[in-house]
C-alpha cells in the first residue's frame, strides 16, 4: 500500500499489507482485549481519551502536515481538523460518564427499573480519506469511551494517517488490541463484516459501499451505521443579505477542496436576488488562490487522487452538454498535481449530473427559483438527505424552512458542519444512524432493561 502526495505526485511511503493470518490475529486480539477494557470504569477510559486530546494539541503542526501531504488538504484546514479531534476527545472525556449512566425509569412502586448502556464488543469502522483524522476520531472516541474495542479499515490513500491515529491512542494509554488499524484493501471488508466476532460496523463512504455493507450486516443481524453521500442544497431566499451569503457560499462549496459530503453543492436562489448573488459568488470563487496546499495563502489545493479529477470533469462536461452555462472554471489546468479549478455552473437542468449526483470537488451548480415553495421543492428533489441550509434576514422564516428540509442536518444562516455536541447523520440515500453527541455514543451499545423487584423473599419475624 502506497501513500502518494496528490500535489507533487511523489510516493511518500510504502506500507506492508497484513496477511490473512495477521488479520485473523488482530480480530482475536480485539476479542481478547474487550472484556478487560469494558470492565474498566468509564471515568478511567475517559482519562485516557483526554490524554489523547492533549497529544493531538501538542502535535497539531506535525499531524496537519501529514494530512496535507497525504490528501492535499490546505494546511490551515488541516490544523483545524486536528484541533477539532482534540476537542472531540475533551468533549467525551467530560460527557461520556453522564451519557452512559444508568437511566432510571419510574414504573411500579415496589420495583427499581432502569436502562443501562453496555458495550457490545469489537466494532469495525470503514473510513474515508477526505477527513482522515476527524472521521476516525468521531468513531473511535465515543466507542472506546463506551467500552467497545475498534478495528479500523481506513482508506488506502491515507495509511500514514491511519498509523498515526493508532499511535496516538496507544501512547495515550489505550491498550494494545483495543484499537487497531488494519492496512487492508476493500476486498477484506466483507469477510470482517461476516465474522461473528465483529459485533457492529460503521461506514462513511459511497452509496454503493454503504449498500454492500448494509446488506452484509443485515444478513448477519448485526448493527450498522452508515454516513453516505450528500448533495446539500444551499437555499438563498429573497431577503438574504447577498454579499455575506455569497462569502459563506464560497466556504460551503470549496472547503476541503470541495471534497466533503456536507459541502453545499446545489445553490437554490430566489429570482429577486439571483443576478446579484451569482455575480458576487462568481467573483469570490474566481478570487480564490489555487496551489500548493502547504502554503498558508492557498485556499484550494489538489483533489486527493487523479481519478477524482476525471470523475468531476466528466460530471461538469455532461452538465454543460445538458444545457447548463459554464460561468467559471470547468477545465483541469495544465499543471502537475490533481487539480480542478473552482467551477460555477448556472442554468443547470434539473436532470443534469450536477443536479442529481454528488459532485466531489469545487464545482457549484446554481438554480433560479420563483418562490420559497419552489425552493423547498427543489431542495428536497434529491435521493440524498444529509445536510441543507437556508439563508434569510428573517430567522423565524429560516427555521420554518429548515424544518421542511428532508435532511438530517439543517442550518439557518450557517453552512452545514459537524459538532461533537450535536448528532450527525442523514436520511434517504445519505444513510442511517447517528454519530456524535449522546445519540452517537449510544449507537453501539446494548440498551439493557433492568427490573429489580422488591418484596419477594423478605425475611419474616
Amino acid at each position: 500500500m502506497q501513500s502518494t502526495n496528490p500535489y507533487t505526485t511523489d510516493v511518500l511511503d510504502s506500507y506492508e499489507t497484513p496477511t490473512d493470518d495477521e488479520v485473523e490475529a488482530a480480530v482475536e486480539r480485539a476479542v481478547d482485549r474487550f472484556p478487560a477494557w469494558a470492565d474498566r470504569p468509564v471515568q478511567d477510559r475517559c482519562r485516557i481519551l483526554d490524554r489523547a486530546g492533549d497529544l493531538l494539541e501538542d502535535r497539531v503542526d506535525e499531524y496537519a502536515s501529514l494530512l496535507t501531504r497525504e490528501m492535499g488538504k490546505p494546511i490551515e484546514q488541516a490544523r483545524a481538523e486536528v484541533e477539532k479531534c482534540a476537542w472531540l476527545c475533551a468533549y467525551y472525556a467530560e460527557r461520556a460518564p453522564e451519557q452512559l449512566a444508568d437511566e432510571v425509569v419510574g414504573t411500579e412502586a415496589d420495583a427499581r427499573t432502569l436502562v443501562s448502556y453496555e458495550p457490545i464488543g469489537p466494532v469495525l469502522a470503514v473510513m474515508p480519506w477526505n477527513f482522515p483524522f476527524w472521521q476516525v476520531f468521531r468513531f473511535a472516541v465515543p466507542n472506546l469511551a463506551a467500552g467497545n474495542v475498534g478495528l479500523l479499515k481506513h482508506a488506502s490513500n491515507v495509511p500514514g494517517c491511519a498509523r498515526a491515529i493508532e499511535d496516538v491512542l496507544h501512547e495515550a494509554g489505550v491498550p494494545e488490541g483495543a484499537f487497531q488499524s488494519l492496512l487492508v484493501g476493500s476486498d477484506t471488508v466483507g469477510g470482517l463484516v461476516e465474522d461473528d466476532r465483529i459485533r457492529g460496523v460503521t461506514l462513511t463512504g459511497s452509496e454503493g459501499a454503504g449498500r454492500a455493507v448494509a446488506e452484509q450486516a443485515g444478513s448477519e443481524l448485526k448493527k450498522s451505521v452508515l454516513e453516505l453521500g450528500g448533495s446539500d442544497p444551499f437555499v438563498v431566499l429573497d431577503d438574504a443579505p447577498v454579499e455575506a451569503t455569497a462569502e459563506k457560499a464560497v466556504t460551503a462549496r470549496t472547503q476541503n477542496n470541495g471534497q466533503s459530503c456536507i459541502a453545499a453543492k446545489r445553490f437554490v436562489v430566489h429570482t429577486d436576488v439571483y443576478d446579484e448573488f451569482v455575480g458576487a459568488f462568481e467573483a469570490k470563487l474566481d478570487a480564490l488562490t489555487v496551489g500548493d496546499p502547504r502554503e498558508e495563502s492557498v485556499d484550494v489545493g489538489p483533489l486527493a487522487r487523479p481519478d477524482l479529477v476525471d470523475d468531476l470533469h466528466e460530471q461538469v462536461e455532461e452538465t454543460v452538454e445538458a444545457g447548463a452555462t459554464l460561468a467559471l472554471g470547468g477545465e483541469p489546468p495544465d499543471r502537475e498535481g490533481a487539480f480542478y479549478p473552482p467551477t460555477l455552473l448556472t442554468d443547470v437542468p434539473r436532470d443534469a449530473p450536477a443536479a442529481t449526483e454528488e459532485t466531489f470537488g469545487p464545482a457549484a451548480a446554481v438554480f433560479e427559483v420563483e418562490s420559497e415553495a419552489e425552493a423547498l421543492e427543489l431542495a428536497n428533489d434529491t435521493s440524498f438527505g444529509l445536510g441543507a441550509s437556508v439563508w434569510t434576514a428573517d430567522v423565524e422564516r429560516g427555521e420554518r424552512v429548515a424544518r421542511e428540509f428532508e435532511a438530517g442536518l439543517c442550518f439557518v444562516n450557517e453552512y452545514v458542519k459537524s459538532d461533537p455536541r450535536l448528532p450527525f447523520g442523514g436520511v434517504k440515500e445519505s444513510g442511517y444512524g447517528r454519530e456524535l453527541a449522546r445519540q452517537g455514543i449510544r449507537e453501539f451499545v446494548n440498551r439493557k432493561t433492568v427490573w429489580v423487584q422488591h418484596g419477594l423473599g423478605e425475611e419474616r419475624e
Side-chain angles (χ1 to χ4, degrees):
M1 187 175 292
Q2 287 188 331
S3 172
T4 302
N5 186 321
Y7 171 64
T8 65
T9 71
D10 293 336
V11 174
L12 299 170
D13 210 340
S14 296
Y15 299 81
E16 217 172 293
T17 56
T19 64
D20 291 345
D21 288 344
E22 288 169 332
V23 172
E24 164 65 24
V27 174
E28 197 57 40
R29 279 195 299 273
V31 172
D32 291 345
R33 176 56 62 183
F34 169 62
W37 179 248
D39 283 345
R40 295 178 77 157
V42 62
Q43 293 82 0
D44 193 11
R45 298 194 297 262
C46 286
R47 278 191 290 271
I48 291 172
L49 297 172
D50 201 30
R51 286 200 292 273
D54 291 341
L55 290 173
L56 291 170
E57 287 280 9
D58 292 343
R59 301 170 186 172
V60 167
D61 289 338
E62 175 187 345
Y63 295 140
S65 177
L66 175 60
L67 288 169
T68 297
R69 292 195 310 273
E70 282 207 316
M71 54 77 57
K73 189 187 301 287
I75 190 65
E76 183 179 351
Q77 296 176 34
R79 280 195 289 268
E81 179 172 339
V82 179
E83 289 167 350
K84 192 170 184 178
C85 294
W87 175 29
L88 174 71
C89 292
Y91 169 79
Y92 276 111
E94 177 184 0
R95 293 305 186 108
E98 165 206 333
Q99 293 166 344
L100 297 167
D102 291 348
E103 181 181 347
V104 177
V105 181
T107 52
E108 304 293 336
D110 58 351
R112 180 172 184 265
T113 50
L114 58 91
V115 179
S116 67
Y117 299 94
E118 301 179 5
I120 61 173
V123 179
L124 171 67
V126 183
M127 292 288 110
W129 47 263
N130 55 333
F131 290 89
F133 265 56
W134 173 244
Q135 302 276 12
V136 175
F137 272 94
R138 79 184 194 196
F139 151 73
V141 171
N143 275 284
L144 288 169
N148 292 320
V149 296
L151 291 160
L152 168 65
K153 188 280 175 211
H154 214 332
S156 58
N157 59 328
V158 288
C161 291
R163 284 282 173 82
I165 292 166
E166 184 178 35
D167 290 346
V168 166
L169 292 172
H170 289 167
E171 188 173 341
V174 175
E176 295 289 332
F179 183 87
Q180 299 173 81
S181 178
L182 303 177
L183 299 184
V184 295
S186 298
D187 55 348
T188 306
V189 172
L192 289 170
V193 174
E194 293 172 356
D195 193 311
D196 289 342
R197 295 167 295 179
I198 302 296
R199 301 308 311 144
V201 56
T202 180
L203 176 140
T204 298
S206 69
E207 179 195 337
R211 288 183 184 278
V213 165
E215 183 177 359
Q216 288 181 312
S219 69
E220 299 298 325
L221 297 179
K222 64 180 60 172
K223 180 66 180 287
S224 62
V225 169
L226 303 179
E227 195 269 281
L228 308 178
S231 185
D232 289 11
F234 184 107
V235 174
V236 183
L237 297 180
D238 55 302
D239 62 348
V242 171
E243 192 69 21
T245 300
E247 189 73 38
K248 290 283 192 176
V250 171
T251 303
R253 175 59 278 200
T254 64
Q255 61 181 330
N256 201 37
N257 306 332
Q259 301 166 121
S260 173
C261 297
I262 55 172
K265 301 183 177 79
R266 296 177 298 129
F267 295 80
V268 181
V269 185
H270 193 282
T271 188
D272 288 356
V273 293
Y274 180 83
D275 290 339
E276 185 183 358
F277 175 82
V278 169
F281 192 26
E282 179 180 350
K284 294 177 187 299
L285 284 171
D286 196 33
L288 294 174
T289 300
V290 179
D292 185 346
R294 297 169 297 183
E295 295 181 3
E296 300 286 345
S297 61
V298 165
D299 302 301
V300 178
L303 302 192
R305 301 190 312 263
D307 63 294
L308 298 171
V309 175
D310 297 336
D311 292 344
L312 180 60
H313 189 50
E314 182 177 349
Q315 290 173 308
V316 169
E317 286 190 314
E318 290 181 0
T319 299
V320 172
E321 289 171 4
T325 299
L326 182 62
L328 180 71
E331 188 65 41
D334 184 17
R335 61 180 295 176
E336 189 173 54
F339 284 95
Y340 202 82
T343 295
L344 182 62
L345 296 160
T346 61
D347 309 312
V348 177
R350 297 191 182 186
D351 59 352
T356 61
E357 301 173 5
E358 180 175 34
T359 50
F360 224 59
V366 185
F367 305 81
E368 184 174 1
V369 293
E370 300 288 336
S371 66
E372 178 186 303
E374 186 184 0
L376 267 169
E377 184 275 327
L378 178 55
N380 290 332
D381 184 22
T382 174
S383 60
F384 297 105
L386 189 53
S389 64
V390 58
W391 303 79
T392 173
D394 183 344
V395 294
E396 291 183 359
R397 180 189 188 191
E399 183 172 342
R400 174 172 51 77
V401 171
R403 289 178 179 273
E404 295 296 320
F405 286 138
E406 296 171 359
L409 309 160
C410 302
F411 284 61
V412 179
N413 295 338
E414 182 60 285
Y415 52 78
V416 180
K417 55 189 175 182
S418 56
D419 185 307
R421 300 164 295 188
L422 295 168
F424 182 95
V427 296
K428 299 196 284 189
E429 291 183 7
S430 290
Y432 52 74
R434 291 297 180 264
E435 299 175 285
L436 303 176
R438 180 186 300 268
Q439 291 82 355
I441 201 172
R442 292 180 175 181
E443 283 285 8
F444 291 104
V445 296
N446 177 12
R447 300 171 177 86
K448 180 184 288 184
T449 295
V450 178
W451 183 299
V452 181
Q453 187 69 44
H454 297 294
L456 182 66
E458 290 179 347
E459 291 185 8
R460 297 179 180 179
E461 294 289 339

